[in-house]
Amino acid sequence: MLALLAALVGPYFVDWTGYRGDFEREASRILGREVTVEGDVRARLLPFPSVSFTDVQVAGETETSPAMTVEEFSMDAELAPFMRGEILIFDMRVVRPKATIKIAADGQVDWAVRPSSRFEPSQIRLEKVRVVEGKVTLLHEASGRQHTLTEINADLAADSLAGPWRVDGSLRLDGMLTDVAVSTGTANPDGTMRVRVRANPERYPVTLEADGAAQFKPDSPLYSGSFHLEANNRDPAVLRGSDGDTFVASAQTGQAAIADYRFAGRFQLDHKRLDVPEFRLETGPREDPYTADGTALFDLGASPRFLIQATGAQVRFDEAIGKGNEYSGATLEDRFEGLKAALENLPRPAIKGTLDIDLPAVVAGDTTIRNVRLSAEPSAGGWAVNTLSALLPGRTTLEASGYLRNGEEDFGFKGKLLLAVAQPSGFAAWAARDVDDAIRRLPAAGFSADVELDEQRQLFRNVELILGEARFHGLLERLTREGVRPAIIARLNGDALDVQGMTAFASLFVSDAGVTYFGDHDVDFDLEAGPVSLAGLSADKVSTAMRLREDHLEIDRLAITGLAGANIGATGTIRDIDAE
C-alpha cells in the first residue's frame, strides 16, 4: 500500500495528461514488479486533488498468480500543503486488497521494500486511510505452511510515512476474528522502529500486548521486546464457541469461568522461532499475587514444537474451583467437579511440544497442594501426561500418567494412578465430610490402579488397595446411566485380614453410624480373602458374593472354610435395609 502511495505522489502528485502511465511506471519501479491498472482511472484537481484507480494488479511469479490485487485504490489530498511541497492526504481508501507475501527459508521477505519518491517520507502525512475487506496470504517456507489474514478492516493514520503510525481494526487470523490496535514510533536511521501491538481475539477472553523494536534485516525480519497477556473473564455470553481445534473459552450457564491470570515477559521473534527467555505468571490479587516464573521456546520450522518450563512460588486458582472459605467442607465429588472445570479450560495447542511445571504449592479453595510436578505433551483432543506428582492433604502422595481428554463434551482420563496416604484421617477429612474411627486408626493406606475415568464410567483395573496391614487386589467400576440407578461393581481378592483390616474395609461402604454410603446405587460385590482372624477365631478363607438392590441385599454366596476345622456355606436375603 505504501508503495502504491509513493507511486501516486512520486511524479509531484500526477501528470494530469498521462496519470495512468505515470502511476504504472512509478509503482513498477518502486516494487520491482510490473504494475498495471486494468480498470478505470478518475482524477480531478478541484476543489481538491483526487485520483482513483480500479482493478490494480501487481505481477507475481506467474501471470495467473498476481502478487497483489486491489479492487479500488483512491485518495483525496489538500491542495494548499501540496503547493508548499508537502502532501496531506485526508482520505484514502483501499478496497479489497489481496496480497501474497512469501517469507523465504532464510527469512527474506519479498515485500520488504522501502518506498522511494521525490518526496521525503516526512513530507507525506496521512490523516485517514481505510482498508476494506483486505486479505493477506503468508507463505512460510521454513515450515511449509500457509497462514491467511482475511476480513482485514482497519483505519490507519500517520504523521509521516516514516511514522509514527496508528492502526485500529480487526481481522481473521486463520479464521479467528481478532481486534487489533497498532501504534509505532518513527523509523530510526538503522531501520528499526518501535511497534506496540494490542490484540483481543473474540474466541478467547484474553488481551495480548507486545511492545518492542521491529526491523527488517537483509536476511531476516525481527521483532523483540516485552509482552503482557491477561485473561479478563469477559461475559461468557459474548464469546464465540470453539470450532474444535482449540479449547472452548466460553462457559455454559452454571459452569465455572476461566480463572484470571496474567503473563508477562520478554520475547524475540524471527522466521524460525519465538523465544521467551523469561516470563512470569501471576494469579490472585494484583497487590499480592501468586507467581511462577519460566521460559518458553516455540520452533516455527517444518516440525514445529514448543517447550514451556515453569517454576516458582505458590500459585492460586480460587476462581476455577472454589473461592476461599466458601469451598471449605466440599465433598470429593465437589472437588472433582471443580478440577474438571479448571482442566476443561486448558488450551490444546495445535503443535507438538512439552510442558514442564514445578511448583512448590498450588492453592485451590481451602486446599493447598504441594510439590506439584507435571510433564505433559499436547495430543489429539487433550494432553499426554508423562508424569504428574503432588502432595495432597493427609501427607498423601499422588502420582499419575496417561492421557487426559479435556473437551467440554469429552472429558476423561486413561492411565495409571497411585495414592500413598501416610495420614489416612487427614486425607479422609479433606476428601469427605466425615471420618470413621476405623479410618482414623489406620497407620497408612494406599491405592494404585489402571484407570479409565469419564463422567459416565469410572473403571479401575489391576487394583491394589492397602488399608493398614490389609491388602486387596482386583477390579472396581462405577457406572452412571440416564434413567437408571448408578451401579458399583467390586471384585476383590484379599490377603490376610484381621479385625482392623475388616473394619476399615467395611467403613468404605458403611459408616460407623450404620449409614450406607452407596444406598442410591446398585452394588455387586465379590470378595475372597484369607486367612481371616476375628474375635479369637481364624478361618483359612472367606468368600462372598452379594448384590444390593435398593433396600434388598441378596447374598448369593457366603463360604467360610477352615473355621475351627469346619466349612460353612450360606445364601439368603436381607430386606428393608435402611439406606439413610
Side-chain angles (χ1 to χ4, degrees):
M1 186 187 72
L2 295 182
L4 298 181
L5 172 61
L8 278 176
V9 301
Y12 290 98
F13 185 64
V14 71
D15 178 357
W16 299 99
T17 61
Y19 37 80
R20 179 197 296 263
D22 284 337
F23 173 77
E24 291 177 339
R25 282 192 299 274
E26 188 72 7
S28 299
R29 180 186 67 81
I30 294 172
L31 291 175
R33 304 166 183 258
E34 183 181 3
V35 178
T36 58
V37 179
E38 302 291 344
D40 299 329
V41 180
R42 298 186 300 273
R44 70 184 183 199
L45 181 60
L46 297 174
F48 49 79
S50 176
V51 63
S52 67
F53 302 92
T54 62
D55 194 6
V56 179
Q57 296 196 17
V58 180
E61 294 181 354
T62 65
E63 294 183 0
T64 58
S65 300
M68 182 177 184
T69 62
V70 181
E71 187 173 299
E72 182 178 352
F73 178 66
S74 64
M75 74 174 195
D76 300 327
E78 291 283 0
L79 184 58
F82 178 71
M83 303 303 293
R84 300 192 301 266
E86 299 176 354
I87 300 295
L88 171 57
I89 299 173
F90 65 85
D91 188 26
M92 181 174 176
R93 289 176 59 84
V94 184
V95 179
R96 295 185 180 87
K98 297 180 181 179
T100 299
I101 299 177
K102 183 178 180 180
I103 304 175
D106 62 358
Q108 182 67 42
V109 180
D110 59 354
W111 280 95
V113 296
R114 301 184 65 182
S116 60
S117 71
R118 296 179 178 88
F119 287 90
E120 291 295 326
S122 60
Q123 293 178 274
I124 303 174
R125 178 182 174 189
L126 304 175
E127 281 193 350
K128 180 181 180 182
V129 179
R130 173 157 292 181
V131 178
V132 180
E133 291 296 315
K135 178 180 179 181
V136 175
T137 301
L138 297 175
L139 304 179
H140 190 229
E141 279 197 351
S143 65
R145 292 186 300 276
Q146 173 178 306
H147 302 280
T148 57
L149 283 66
T150 57
E151 297 182 26
I152 302 173
N153 295 282
D155 291 327
L156 299 81
D159 293 342
S160 76
L161 289 188
W165 284 82
R166 298 172 301 281
V167 181
D168 287 287
S170 63
L171 54 83
R172 288 188 182 274
L173 173 58
D174 290 337
M176 181 172 61
L177 183 62
T178 303
D179 292 332
V180 178
V182 180
S183 59
T184 78
T186 303
N188 297 314
D190 62 358
T192 62
M193 175 184 283
R194 182 177 180 182
V195 177
R196 182 176 183 181
V197 180
R198 180 184 177 93
N200 292 92
E202 185 186 49
R203 184 182 298 166
Y204 309 134
V206 298
T207 298
L208 173 63
E209 294 184 359
D211 189 355
Q215 60 182 326
F216 284 95
K217 291 184 177 180
D219 59 348
S220 177
L222 182 66
Y223 183 34
S224 61
S226 61
F227 75 92
H228 182 86
L229 185 147
E230 181 165 342
N232 48 31
N233 261 335
R234 293 191 300 225
D235 181 359
V238 303
L239 297 180
R240 178 171 298 184
S242 171
D243 58 6
D245 61 344
T246 53
F247 76 96
V248 178
S250 61
Q252 303 297 325
T253 302
Q255 183 183 15
I258 189 171
D260 283 335
Y261 60 85
R262 284 92 59 191
F263 275 99
R266 297 187 298 110
F267 75 94
Q268 182 170 311
L269 173 68
D270 60 27
H271 71 289
K272 292 181 178 180
R273 65 178 59 191
L274 170 61
D275 186 11
V276 181
E278 63 181 47
F279 71 78
R280 168 160 289 191
L281 165 66
E282 294 185 355
T283 65
R286 294 179 184 273
E287 61 275 8
D288 186 22
Y290 301 89
T291 64
D293 299 318
T295 64
L297 179 65
F298 298 84
D299 188 332
L300 307 179
S303 299
R305 290 190 62 86
F306 70 87
L307 173 62
I308 300 176
Q309 297 176 317
T311 61
Q314 183 171 281
V315 175
R316 190 175 191 97
F317 291 105
D318 279 346
E319 296 88 345
I321 60 175
K323 294 187 177 180
N325 293 331
E326 298 177 13
Y327 211 61
S328 181
T331 65
L332 185 61
E333 185 176 357
D334 294 332
R335 300 183 192 278
F336 177 78
E337 287 299 318
L339 177 63
K340 173 177 175 290
L343 293 177
E344 281 181 344
N345 284 321
L346 286 177
R348 295 196 298 269
I351 64 175
K352 297 179 180 180
T354 302
L355 173 65
D356 290 328
I357 296 176
D358 188 351
L359 300 175
V362 173
V363 179
D366 65 338
T367 300
T368 299
I369 303 172
R370 303 188 183 280
N371 300 335
V372 178
R373 294 181 175 86
L374 169 68
S375 178
E377 301 179 2
S379 184
W383 288 83
V385 180
N386 299 322
T387 58
L388 169 64
S389 64
L391 188 62
L392 303 179
R395 292 160 53 198
T396 301
T397 299
L398 165 69
E399 295 181 0
S401 62
Y403 174 60
L404 171 69
R405 306 187 311 276
N406 66 328
E408 186 178 16
E409 301 297 331
D410 182 24
F411 181 85
F413 177 77
K414 181 178 180 180
K416 294 183 179 294
L417 176 67
L418 179 144
L419 286 172
V421 187
Q423 189 180 44
S425 59
F427 179 76
W430 170 74
R433 289 192 177 95
D434 54 7
V435 181
D436 291 323
D437 286 340
I439 297 296
R440 293 183 187 275
R441 291 192 297 267
L442 286 177
F447 177 87
S448 67
D450 298 329
V451 302
E452 296 181 30
L453 308 176
D454 59 40
E455 293 188 86
Q456 293 187 326
R457 186 189 190 202
Q458 296 88 53
L459 175 62
F460 302 86
R461 292 192 177 97
N462 300 319
V463 169
E464 182 177 8
L465 174 63
I466 301 174
L467 300 172
E469 298 297 326
R471 292 176 178 267
F472 303 88
H473 306 268
L475 176 144
L476 297 172
E477 184 175 13
R478 180 177 181 267
L479 299 171
T480 57
R481 294 158 293 182
E482 186 175 356
V484 299
R485 284 165 59 88
I488 291 179
I489 300 171
R491 297 189 179 94
L492 298 172
N493 294 313
D495 298 332
L497 272 180
D498 57 14
V499 63
Q500 184 185 48
M502 292 180 64
T503 305
F505 182 76
S507 70
L508 300 177
F509 301 90
V510 181
S511 72
D512 51 10
V515 176
T516 304
Y517 292 133
F518 302 105
D520 59 344
H521 286 63
D522 290 341
V523 179
D524 287 53
F525 178 77
D526 195 324
L527 171 67
E528 288 190 4
V532 178
S533 300
L534 179 63
L537 299 176
S538 64
D540 294 337
K541 185 171 70 172
V542 174
S543 176
T544 183
M546 302 179 184
R547 291 177 291 120
L548 176 65
R549 300 293 185 268
E550 296 184 354
D551 61 347
H552 287 59
L553 178 62
E554 300 287 346
I555 303 175
D556 297 328
R557 182 185 73 251
L558 174 58
I560 304 175
T561 60
L563 177 62
N567 297 331
I568 300 174
T571 61
T573 302
I574 302 176
R575 302 182 184 275
D576 300 325
I577 293 177
D578 185 7
E580 299 296 326

